[in-house]
Every structure is written in structure tokens, then in C-alpha cells.
Amino acid sequence: MTTTDSIQPTEDKRYLQHRQLKRGAAGWVLLAGLGVAYVISGDFAGWNLGLAQGGWGGLLIAFVLMGIMYTCMAFGLAELSSTLPATGAGYGFARRALGPLGGFATGMAVLIEYAVAPAAIAIFIGGYVEALGLFGLTNSWPVYLVTYAIFVGIHLRGVGEALKMIFSITAVAVIALAAVVVGLIPRFNVQNLFDIVPDGSPASSAFLPMGIGGAVGALVYGIWFFLAVEGVPLAAEETANPKKDMPRGIIVAVVILVVFGSLMLVLVPGAAGSAAMSESNNPLPEALRLAYGGNTFLADFVNYAGLAGLIASFFSIIYAYSRQLFALSRAGYLPKWLSLTGKRRTPYWALIVPGTIGFILAATTGNGALLINIAVFGATVSYVLLNLSHIVLRRKEPDLPRGYRTPGGVVTTSIALVLAAVAVVATFVVDVFAASITAAIFGAALLYYWFYSRHRIVAGAPEEEFAQLAAAEAELKS
């Protein structure tokens, strides 16, 4: 057992009254929209950098493997979120299965992912704005500042408003992707996929111009097609019926993402060439301009609507990082003031603090590929722990009431676990310095837990109550 704060029941009640979210704000359709919104920016920019890492063949292999990983993991998360519906999501699942250290480690890995991913997206938003020649900008940091200020501000107004706006923006982005498909199909040429010259690496070829090592490195960008969809369960406490809505929402979201990711991977480099797309910050409108030999109405439409796709993910991941930070803080793992909520039931410090950090990262680095690698490191570490949590809970608590059961059981999540472990290694292949620095930050967070926060855990937090109930039931059975 961990040592918790000596909070009396009345104080517990008062403590949690200042840390309440708005319930019943989302059904499964909004949840599916939220899942797509988390990720849809990955279709508009970022994934194409994997072409420079592994060529089209390497990125195709990465997409297939990571698509399998996310699909298998989504089935596991559907079960976990219907069984343990709380805002802590990944942290809560791991807390129940792996204990408080495992819960904190999972929560921190997710927080690294969600705090850094919007910074990378902000850089791509800047690239789309510059491509349109708006405001005469030669440096995008004002775009990053305005983007953070506006969308953190909207979240501060309330979750219902935020989720509905996310859904609307995502719908515009989906229309843009459909327009890209229609526009590029007539210009598709399979030879364009293989126009990157092989570099002479072992096993290099027209299909794998950077060899097997390039395909491993491309895993990071294969993840970008799906990164953050696992954040759907973070809306559990704000969902009308989490036991039914969570599984539907996350599974539908993954299916939609697989379809659109496949289309972008094939049509964009197939129309404009893998070499040309491998370094672009705005690949979809640029592909249309290259394919049609100049600017067109369709390219401009996709450029503007592409901003909607980037904003949808940026906007929704802000929601995700605030809920993960809120849950860790409410339970005492991180400073408790970070989980305070205002009159509108929004965790204002949990929105503002990571937003400030993200803006600083975007403005000081201006490097989307670097930030993608950092975000993916946090993501893949959390995926290892999430899939392990599903496996452990199935073994440890087979009779736990589950609103949904994963097809294939632990075999399904074991596949995802192995692929996630390979993806962790891939982050070091792409950028060993960035991955090492991120690993060091993650390690420092674990030391913070071990020497400080584990002695200050709040027993009344929902995720902790789940774990305490499990411990009590185990004692009764023994």
C-alpha cells in the first residue's frame, strides 16, 4: 500500500468539489469524432516526412504494422474504458493493473505525448499559413501564439462547446480529404511512388531506398497517422454512457483513420512523387499544385480546409492533455493546484500550463520532425504499458464486470504490445539525441514520484478508488 494524504472524509468531499468535470456532454458519435479529430492532422502533414526516412515502401510497411498495432490496442482500450470509466484513462487502467508506479509512468508517458504533439501540429499550421501567403509572415511564431491562445481559450469556456466545435471542424477536414482523393486519382502514377534513389544501404531497392533500417525509422511516421486516438477514453467522466459509448467511439474512429491514412499514403506521393513530398510541411495542397502544374481552386480549397484538419487535432489534443494532467493532479501524483476547475467545470491550470510549454517548444525549435519523435516516444512507452495493463487485468481479475470484451483477448493486445516495443526502439533510430533527452525527462518524472508524490496520493480520487476496491475484494477472497 502507498502512503496517502491524511484527508478526512468531509475534506475529501470539499477537495473533489473543486475538481469536477461536466458529465453527459458526449455520446458515441461525438466520441468517434473526437477520436478522428485527435489524429486527422496526421493526414495533412507529418506522415510524409517518413518518405525521407524509409522511402514509400518503408513507410507502407510502417503504416501496415502501426495500423495493426493501433487496431489491436483500440480493441483492448475499448474493454478497459468500458470497465474502468474515469478521466485518468490510461493512468487509471495501469493504476488498477500495475499499481501506482505503473499508473504514474503510463500517465506521464501519455502527458509527454499530448503536451508535445500540439507543438508539432502548430508548426504545420504555420506551414499551411505561409503557403497561403497570409499576413506576409516570414516567421510562424505569431501563428503558434494565436493558435494556442484562441483554442485554449475556447476550452476554458466549457467542454460541451469545445467538443461540438471539434466535431464541426473535423467534418470540414474530412471533406478536404475527400476532395484530395477526387483530385489526385486522375493524376496517380505508380512510378511516382518509387522516385527516391536507393542510397546503397543493405537491402536497399526502389521499394526500400534506405533498406530495412529505413523501414524501422519510418515506424515513427507510420504512428503519426494514428497518434492520440487512444485519448478517446479521457472523455469517460464527460460521457453519457461510457460502458456503451466508449467502445463504439474508439473502434469507429480507428476504422475511419485507417481508410483515410491508406488513401493519403497512396495518392499523395503517387500523384506528386515521393521525393517531392518527403520534405513538405503542407504536402496535400503542394501535391495538388505539382500534379496540376500550378495553383488551382482545389489546391487553395484544400490548403484552407487543411488548416481545419490541423486545427481539429490541435484543438482536441489540448482537451486530451488537460484531462490527463487533471487526473494525475487530482490524485496527488502531480501538484494538486493543476486540477482545480472553475465555474464552467474546466481544469484551467491543466489547460494553460502545458499550452505554455508547447508554445515555447514550437517557437524555439520550429522543427516538426523533432517534436514528432518526442511525442511518439511518449506515446509508444504508454502503449507498451497500456497493452500490458489489459493483459495483466485479464489474468489478475478475470471476473471483473466488463461492458465490452476484446476479440481475441490477450492475444490481440500481446500483438500490440510487441509492435509498441519495436516502435519505442524506432524513436532512437530516427533521432537518438531527442529520444534520449525525452527518456531522461521521463526518468526524472519517475524519480519525482518515488521520492515525493507517492507519499501524497489522494485516496478519494476515482482512479484510486477503483484500485482500493480491487484490493479490498482481493483481501475478502483470501
Side-chain angles (χ1 to χ4, degrees):
M1 276 301 277
T2 58
T3 304
T4 60
D5 286 330
S6 56
I7 302 175
Q8 300 300 316
T10 55
E11 292 176 331
D12 263 344
K13 185 176 181 181
R14 190 159 58 253
Y15 174 84
L16 293 174
Q17 280 177 344
H18 294 287
R19 292 161 173 83
Q20 294 289 324
L21 300 173
K22 184 178 179 181
R23 297 183 180 275
W28 78 266
V29 175
L30 272 181
L31 289 174
L34 179 63
V36 174
Y38 281 145
V39 189
I40 201 165
S41 68
D43 287 323
F44 285 92
W47 64 268
N48 55 299
L49 302 177
L51 296 168
Q53 192 71 39
W56 188 79
L59 187 55
L60 173 65
I61 292 170
F63 176 82
V64 171
L65 291 177
M66 295 301 94
I68 292 170
M69 180 189 77
Y70 273 94
T71 302
C72 290
M73 184 171 69
F75 284 126
L77 289 174
E79 177 178 314
L80 290 169
S81 60
S82 70
T83 305
L84 304 169
T87 294
Y91 136 62
F93 308 152
R95 170 67 181 89
R96 178 78 174 244
L98 308 175
L101 177 57
F104 177 78
T106 304
M108 281 307 302
V110 171
L111 196 54
I112 289 171
E113 171 194 356
Y114 289 162
V116 176
I121 296 167
I123 290 171
F124 297 129
I125 291 173
Y128 268 64
V129 169
E130 286 188 39
L132 288 167
L134 299 177
F135 314 117
L137 291 173
T138 56
N139 188 308
S140 292
W141 75 262
V143 176
Y144 312 154
L145 179 61
V146 170
T147 304
Y148 269 104
I150 289 174
F151 294 108
V152 168
I154 293 171
H155 276 292
L156 289 171
R157 287 191 58 81
V159 65
E161 295 86 345
L163 288 178
K164 289 170 184 174
M165 184 171 286
I166 288 169
F167 192 84
S168 300
I169 297 171
T170 303
V172 174
V174 168
I175 292 170
L177 291 178
V180 170
V181 172
V182 172
L184 292 183
I185 284 176
R187 303 289 172 161
F188 176 79
N189 184 338
V190 70
Q191 298 302 317
N192 289 335
L193 299 173
F194 309 110
D195 66 351
I196 295 178
V197 178
D199 67 358
S201 299
S204 65
S205 63
F207 183 71
L208 289 175
M210 291 79 173
I212 300 299
V216 173
L219 290 174
V220 169
Y221 301 97
I223 285 173
W224 196 244
F225 281 107
F226 306 97
L227 184 85
V229 70
E230 74 280 1
V232 172
L234 289 165
E237 288 183 37
E238 294 157 290
T239 302
N241 186 350
K243 287 186 179 296
K244 291 184 178 180
D245 293 341
M246 279 294 165
R248 289 180 186 174
I250 193 169
I251 291 170
V252 169
V254 169
V255 170
I256 293 171
L257 293 168
V258 168
V259 171
F260 276 120
S262 302
L263 290 168
M264 295 306 107
L265 175 61
V266 173
L267 292 176
V268 172
S274 292
M277 293 295 94
S278 66
E279 297 179 352
S280 176
N281 274 345
N282 57 326
L284 273 55
E286 189 172 329
L288 287 163
R289 292 183 180 112
L290 288 172
Y292 286 89
N295 206 18
T296 64
F297 169 79
L298 182 58
D300 281 344
F301 169 75
V302 170
N303 209 149
Y304 280 104
L307 282 171
L310 293 166
I311 288 169
S313 291
F314 181 88
F315 194 18
S316 55
I317 297 176
I318 286 174
Y319 172 85
Y321 76 52
S322 68
R323 270 46 181 184
Q324 186 65 86
L325 181 54
F326 167 84
L328 288 168
S329 167
R330 179 177 62 180
Y333 290 92
L334 292 175
K336 294 169 189 170
W337 57 268
L338 289 167
S339 57
L340 289 170
T341 53
K343 292 180 180 179
R344 294 179 177 273
R345 301 297 188 192
T346 55
Y348 50 91
W349 287 119
L351 285 161
I352 293 168
V353 172
T356 303
I357 294 170
F359 166 71
I360 292 170
L361 285 173
T364 55
T365 69
N367 188 334
L370 170 72
L371 296 178
I372 285 175
N373 202 52
I374 293 172
V376 168
F377 176 87
T380 51
V381 169
S382 74
Y383 299 164
V384 169
L385 295 168
L386 285 170
N387 287 298
L388 182 61
S389 297
H390 177 266
I391 295 166
V392 169
L393 271 180
R394 274 292 190 98
R395 301 290 190 196
K396 190 167 72 172
E397 300 186 59
D399 299 325
L400 184 67
R402 290 168 166 85
Y404 173 88
R405 296 185 73 86
T406 303
V410 298
V411 173
T412 299
T413 43
S414 294
I415 293 169
L417 173 62
V418 171
L419 290 171
V422 173
V424 173
V425 175
T427 63
F428 288 89
V429 172
V430 172
D431 189 336
V432 67
F433 177 75
S436 298
I437 291 295
T438 313
I441 293 170
F442 182 65
L446 295 181
L447 290 176
Y448 170 83
Y449 163 81
W450 188 256
F451 289 106
Y452 184 79
S453 69
R454 73 188 179 101
H455 304 295
R456 290 164 174 79
I457 296 173
V458 178
E463 296 83 2
E464 296 303 310
E465 287 184 340
F466 281 140
Q468 289 170 6
L469 284 171
E473 289 170 2
E475 285 183 13
L476 287 173
K477 290 178 181 178
S478 62

